[in-house]
Every structure is written in C-alpha cells, then in structure tokens.
Amino acid sequence: MGNDLSKRKDSCYTVIAKTGDRPHGGTDANVYVVLYNKNGEASPKIKLDTRLHDDLERGQTDVFNVKGLSTSFGDVVAIDIWNKGKDRIKDDWYAEWVSVVKGEEDLFQFPLNRWIRAADGKLRFQRNDCCIPQHSKEKEQREKELSKKRQLYQFSTDEPGIPRQVKLLPTDEKFHPEYDNWKESTLKNLKLQVLLIKHTTKEFLSISHLTDLYKFGFDVPRVIHE
C-alpha cells in the first residue's frame, strides 16, 4: 500500500485509490476527486497527492486524508474524477477502483477499471457503478464512451461464411512485451532442461528407468510409482 490507512490522523473521510497493474498505468499527473452526498452537495476538490510520496504508481494502493469535511456530509453516493495532465500517454492513469471511508466503518466503493485521461474531462461515477447504458444517470457520458468503443472495435469479415473479426486489436487487448519476454525466457529454459536430460539419461532397461527423465525441475508423476 502506498501509504498506511492507519495514518489517517483525524480526518472524517479518507479516499483510497487503487492503480491497476497495467503497463504505464501509473501517473505523475495531478488527479482530483469531488465527493457527492445524497442531497447532491459537493465536497471541496480533493487532490490525490501525499507530500513527499510517489502516488498513483502501477499496482499501488494509496490513502488520502480529506480535510475540512465532517461526518454531517453523510454517505457518499457519487464522485467526480479528472486528470489534469497535459494529455500525454505518460499522464494517463489506469484506475482500478476508488473507495471512500467515512469514520471507522462506512465504506463507499466505486469500481472503475478504466483509463482516466486529461482529454476525458470530468467523469462522474455512482456508488457501486454497474448498470446498462440506458439506465445510467450519466447518459451523455456513457454515450460518449460507447461511441469511442464503436470506433475502437471495428469489425470486418475477411471471407464469406466465417465469423467477423476486429480490424485492429486495441493496445489494451494485446499481450504486453513483458509477456513475450517471459514466454521467450521460459521456452529457452525448457529447451535447456530437455537438452540436459538427454545428455544425463542412460538407456532404458526397465519401466523404472523412466524416472530418470524427470529432473531439473520436472516432477516425477505419481502414476509411475503405482
């Protein structure tokens, strides 16, 4: 966790933000949040920043104390969130979720699982946000999101009779180079193990000699002893 929840001092409200484990998911841009209660009243603007701490890094969970807001504000039912970066890729932030804690027990959760980009402007999310577009309270925002999805996922059929395929696979859907590096490294290690086994295994004279194949990381199957 980026900073400890136990260090909340005397704040009545605390914002907890989880950055997704995505390549380049962290950001150094300024990210802000505003809380809304049941009456539509808004909190002061909250900057997701802790002094002398590197916040909102990939895979990190950060805790931010909210100043100047008493528990009389009530339950948090919605949030605005926006990114004040310069609309560069390195400024984008992948938010997995944001939670708000009131007092010691009340928890208000906002699952996001999306990029927060400067170009998006202010985005509003309802508590436990999960509904089909036509039932969304933020109809204009959802329509913009759907329009972007339609542009991003364009389909075509290469040959008659075969299923449609996406024309260009979006970056978020591709395996990251980190996976390719891991795959290549694993394949090399397996080939090396097979080579070592070949050069250290004697001629088979009985079924029991099959166990000689299982070494250098390969466990002996239980069925051989049964």
Side-chain angles (χ1 to χ4, degrees):
M1 182 174 288
N3 34 25
D4 193 349
L5 184 59
S6 64
K7 298 179 181 179
R8 291 173 52 197
K9 300 180 180 180
D10 298 323
S11 298
C12 296
Y13 288 83
T14 303
V15 174
I16 308 172
K18 174 63 187 296
T19 302
D21 189 15
R22 293 284 186 98
H24 311 296
T27 185
D28 291 326
N30 293 327
V31 177
Y32 296 88
V33 169
V34 167
L35 315 180
Y36 290 90
N37 64 15
K38 294 179 180 179
N39 299 321
E41 298 169 331
S43 73
K45 181 172 65 175
I46 304 159
K47 185 178 181 180
L48 300 187
D49 178 66
T50 301
R51 190 182 177 199
L52 302 178
H53 179 72
D54 198 5
D55 306 292
L56 307 181
E57 293 302 313
R58 176 180 173 180
Q60 189 168 287
T61 303
D62 295 291
V63 180
F64 306 94
N65 297 310
V66 180
K67 298 179 181 179
L69 195 65
S70 69
T71 52
S72 63
F73 182 77
D75 293 352
V76 179
V77 299
I79 62 171
D80 278 350
I81 188 166
W82 68 98
N83 183 329
K84 290 289 287 183
K86 297 181 179 180
D87 201 19
R88 300 171 297 187
I89 292 177
K90 67 178 183 178
D91 289 336
D92 297 345
W93 176 48
Y94 191 85
E96 188 169 320
W97 50 260
V98 168
S99 293
V100 181
V101 180
K102 182 183 76 171
E104 296 297 330
E105 296 182 356
D106 293 331
L107 176 67
F108 312 105
Q109 297 179 315
F110 299 87
L112 303 179
N113 293 305
R114 59 167 295 153
W115 291 97
I116 306 296
R117 298 184 169 96
D120 295 332
K122 282 188 180 181
L123 298 171
R124 181 165 297 185
F125 301 97
Q126 303 296 321
R127 180 183 177 188
N128 299 323
D129 193 288
C130 183
C131 67
I132 56 179
Q134 54 266 42
H135 293 164
S136 174
K137 294 183 178 180
E138 319 304 329
K139 294 186 182 300
E140 184 177 349
Q141 177 177 306
R142 289 296 293 270
E143 185 54 45
K144 287 181 179 179
E145 291 174 354
L146 288 173
S147 178
K148 288 180 180 179
K149 293 287 186 183
R150 294 186 190 103
Q151 294 175 13
L152 194 60
Y153 293 89
Q154 295 186 25
F155 294 88
S156 65
T157 302
D158 295 334
E159 296 291 341
I162 66 171
R164 298 175 71 199
Q165 298 175 323
V166 67
K167 287 183 179 179
L168 183 64
L169 193 65
T171 302
D172 275 352
E173 302 288 354
K174 296 178 181 178
F175 284 116
H176 191 263
E178 290 178 0
Y179 170 79
D180 292 331
N181 294 338
W182 170 85
K183 182 175 66 174
E184 185 177 346
S185 175
T186 302
L187 186 58
K188 286 181 178 178
N189 288 334
L190 288 173
K191 287 182 177 179
L192 178 60
Q193 290 177 19
V194 170
L195 188 62
L196 287 172
I197 289 172
K198 284 183 177 179
H199 286 83
T200 58
T201 302
K202 299 178 182 178
E203 181 182 358
F204 293 160
L205 299 177
S206 67
I207 294 296
S208 63
H209 289 168
L210 283 174
T211 57
D212 291 340
L213 289 173
Y214 300 95
K215 47 191 168 185
F216 305 117
F218 292 97
D219 295 330
V220 179
R222 287 181 299 176
V223 68
I224 288 182
H225 301 296
E226 295 177 356

